[in-house]
Each structure stands twice: as structure tokens, then as C-alpha cells.
Amino acid sequence: MANATKCPKCKAQQAKWVTLRHSVPVDVFQCQACGTAIEEQDWMAPTLPISKGRCVNCGDRRVDGVCGNCGLSEQEDTEVHQELRQEIGAQLTLLNAAREASKVGRRLIALKLATAAAVGNEAGQGDVARALRIWLLAAVGETLSALEDAKAWVEQNPDPPSLAWASLGQQYQHNGFPGSAADAYAKALAKDPKQPVVRARRAQLLMQMRREGQASEEACLVFDAGGDDSAIALATEVAETLSDLYELQFRDDEVERLLERAGPYVDRSAKMLAHRARIAAVNGKISQAKRDLKAARKLIPEMELYERVERAITPQRTSWWRW
């Protein structure tokens, strides 16, 4: 259904798909002008953890070849998901149909398609599909189910892939278990160190848990790897917080180490530029301090830290002697 569909109530042509929660998640084609629901699709959400031989449609057990909950046979189960795939795009794989459905706001149908792709290991991308399924469970409000499925993925696999550990870490993080999340992220990175976003998330968690030394090193490793803007942004937030903390602890050597490892990414952060200006001023490098302070103000015009930088650039006289 195209976005040009006219709302039967207000006549606006601003409808789009959204996934809402009533007692269960529902895909709704909704007018964005007045909120009228033009169409609703309340597919059964497969919230139970994936388990071999279970119904893909709802996740329950099959008895004598038929699901004890939704009543579908294995063949009917397959046919339902192929029909859903064709509704999104007949030429698409189950996984790509799930991605497309999620992109246009139909996250419930996306969840069903991702589940089918994960169970069938379609095109050898079962792990990618399962990670998407877990993310979608959380996105439609089934946060506990997302965590339970991520746990099952790790516990039922003798050698869990990095993606499984990363998914578990993300769900632990969303459910308020920072220590468990940091440990899961560490296991994901041990399997595959080249995951800057996972490393940046771990740095954030370590910072929250006051494990500053580890947080600093993880953030610096993100800077060393470079390339991923979202990871750099997260690592920069950690570096900014650490710089403030180290200043209070009179540990400018640690601030300087962070600035050096951050390298060219310092120029993206007003706070990091200001700290570099402050340290330059303290070391008598006034011209450099003024340049960095000016650059910082172009990013954020006002910040409390700037006052300390200015005092370092122009120190107050501590003696009445005029020399």
C-alpha cells in the first residue's frame, strides 16, 4: 500500500507503516496527520527462543506433525512465510524481505521473516538473520524474549559465533545488566576484534562501571581502527568523560595520552579541543591553545571548560610586583 493512500478521516496523504503495541505488537498503516489506522495486520509474533524442530510461525512444539498452538503443519508453516515474503517483494530472499519490511516500518512481519530466514539458514546467513530477529524482538517491545533468545543462541551452540555474543551483549545492555553486557562484548571481540561499534559500546559500559583504565584503552583501540563514524562518536563520548575526570584528578598525562590516540578525531569534539587547548596553555604553548579554543567555539560556542582554558592562557597576577 503506497504512502499516497488518502486517509478516510482527514483526507491527508501522509500514511505510513508503524508497529504499535496493544496487548501484542501490531503492524498498522496509519495516517500521520490524524492517527487513523487505515489497515492493521496482527500476525502471530514468534517470541519463544528458536529451537530445532519447533514451529517457525509461533515457536511452539509440533505434535504428530502439527503445531500444538497455531495448528500449522511444517509445510503450511513454510507456505505462510513464503506468502509473507512475496507481500514484501517476490524477488527478495527471506532475510532481505525482513530488512525491507523493517525499513518501511513493518517490524512485526519483518520479525516473522527474519525468524524463518534464521531457522532455515537461508543462503548460509542464518546467523545474520538471527541477530536481526533478536533486534526486532526488542524493537517491537518484546525485550525479555529478545534477551532469552540471545541467551539460547549462546547456550545451545558449542562454539557461539561472535555475532551471537554481540547480540547477547546488546540485550544485556538494554535490560540493565552492564557487567554481563561488557563480558559478552569481550567474548564477541575475542572471536572477531574488528568490530569497532561493539568495542565502543564496551568502552561506554566500562566507563559507567568506573573501570576507567579499561574504558580508556577500548576507546583508544576504536580510534586506532578508525573508519566507522558511529563507533568513533561513541568512543569520543567516552574520551570526553574520561578527560573531564582525569582533569579533576590532576592526571593531565592521561588526558594527553587520550588526545594523542584520538589523533585527527580530536577536531570533531569541542570538549577534546578545549582540553588540548588547556594543556597547551599550561605548557606555555599559547598560540596553539588559542587556535584550539577558537576551533572548539566554532563547534560549541559556550562551555564551562572554556573559562578554565582562558584562565590558563591569561593567568591572573599573584603578586603586586610589576614584573
Side-chain angles (χ1 to χ4, degrees):
M1 189 175 292
N3 284 1
T5 299
K6 186 177 292 185
C7 174
K9 183 177 180 180
C10 74
K11 310 306 179 185
Q13 293 183 331
Q14 299 179 33
K16 70 175 185 178
W17 285 100
V18 293
T19 302
L20 305 177
R21 278 197 73 86
H22 301 314
S23 57
V24 293
V26 179
D27 282 344
V28 180
F29 193 60
Q30 183 184 61
C31 175
Q32 299 304 294
C34 70
T36 296
I38 300 171
E39 180 182 345
E40 292 190 6
Q41 295 183 344
D42 57 347
W43 307 103
M44 184 175 290
T47 58
L48 292 173
I50 288 178
S51 185
K52 187 177 180 180
R54 291 204 174 195
C55 175
V56 180
N57 187 53
C58 70
D60 212 332
R61 296 180 183 274
R62 289 197 178 94
V63 180
D64 297 328
V66 176
C67 177
N69 181 44
C70 68
L72 295 183
S73 67
E74 186 172 355
Q75 179 61 33
E76 290 169 333
D77 199 350
T78 299
E79 289 171 357
V80 164
H81 289 88
Q82 289 302 326
E83 289 170 7
L84 294 178
R85 177 184 62 79
Q86 290 178 23
E87 182 170 337
I88 301 301
Q91 77 285 3
L92 299 174
T93 63
L94 288 165
L95 176 56
N96 286 338
R99 287 168 167 160
E100 181 63 24
S102 179
K103 186 167 68 174
V104 299
R106 303 177 72 175
R107 287 182 170 168
L108 179 55
I109 193 173
L111 171 61
K112 295 185 73 64
L113 291 164
T115 301
V119 170
N121 191 27
E122 183 190 44
Q125 292 190 291
D127 288 346
V128 175
R130 188 154 188 181
L132 176 59
R133 163 188 153 79
I134 291 168
W135 183 87
L136 286 164
L137 278 168
V140 301
E142 298 288 344
T143 53
L144 183 58
S145 294
L147 178 57
E148 290 302 316
D149 195 42
K151 285 182 182 178
W153 190 6
V154 167
E155 291 167 358
Q156 295 171 8
N157 195 322
D159 185 22
S162 176
L163 196 52
W165 285 115
S167 293
L168 180 58
Q170 185 178 48
Q171 296 313 313
Y172 271 136
Q173 185 174 5
H174 288 171
N175 282 273
F177 300 104
S180 296
D183 289 345
Y185 285 149
K187 289 174 180 175
L189 291 165
K191 290 267 184 181
D192 179 9
K194 296 180 180 179
Q195 298 185 84
V197 173
V198 172
R199 194 175 296 282
R201 287 176 180 165
R202 185 165 191 267
Q204 280 191 315
L205 290 167
L206 292 168
M207 182 71 245
Q208 292 169 17
M209 293 186 290
R210 303 306 301 271
R211 289 157 63 178
E212 290 92 359
Q214 289 175 289
S216 176
E217 182 57 25
E218 292 285 39
C220 288
L221 287 172
V222 174
F223 292 134
D224 291 346
D228 190 303
D229 285 345
S230 59
I232 294 296
L234 292 174
T236 298
E237 290 178 10
V238 173
E240 290 173 346
T241 302
L242 285 169
S243 294
D244 288 343
L245 178 64
Y246 289 145
E247 182 193 1
L248 290 173
Q249 296 173 346
F250 302 101
R251 298 173 65 190
D252 277 350
D253 58 323
E254 289 296 330
V255 180
E256 288 185 274
R257 188 177 74 86
L258 274 172
L259 292 167
E260 182 179 354
R261 294 284 292 276
Y265 301 113
V266 171
D267 293 339
R268 300 184 184 185
S269 165
K271 181 161 285 190
M272 296 291 280
L273 282 165
H275 274 295
R276 192 166 70 184
R278 180 181 61 78
I279 291 173
V282 168
N283 291 331
K285 300 176 181 178
I286 304 304
S287 295
Q288 179 186 326
K290 288 180 177 180
R291 283 196 303 272
D292 280 341
L293 181 58
K294 182 178 179 180
R297 282 195 160 122
K298 285 184 178 179
L299 296 175
I300 299 178
E302 297 295 332
M303 192 185 298
E304 188 269 338
L305 175 55
Y306 297 160
E307 296 177 11
R308 299 198 296 280
V309 177
E310 289 173 338
R311 286 198 297 271
I313 290 173
T314 311
Q316 298 296 311
R317 290 182 181 274
T318 58
S319 170
W320 57 273
W321 295 104
R322 295 182 178 276
W323 54 50

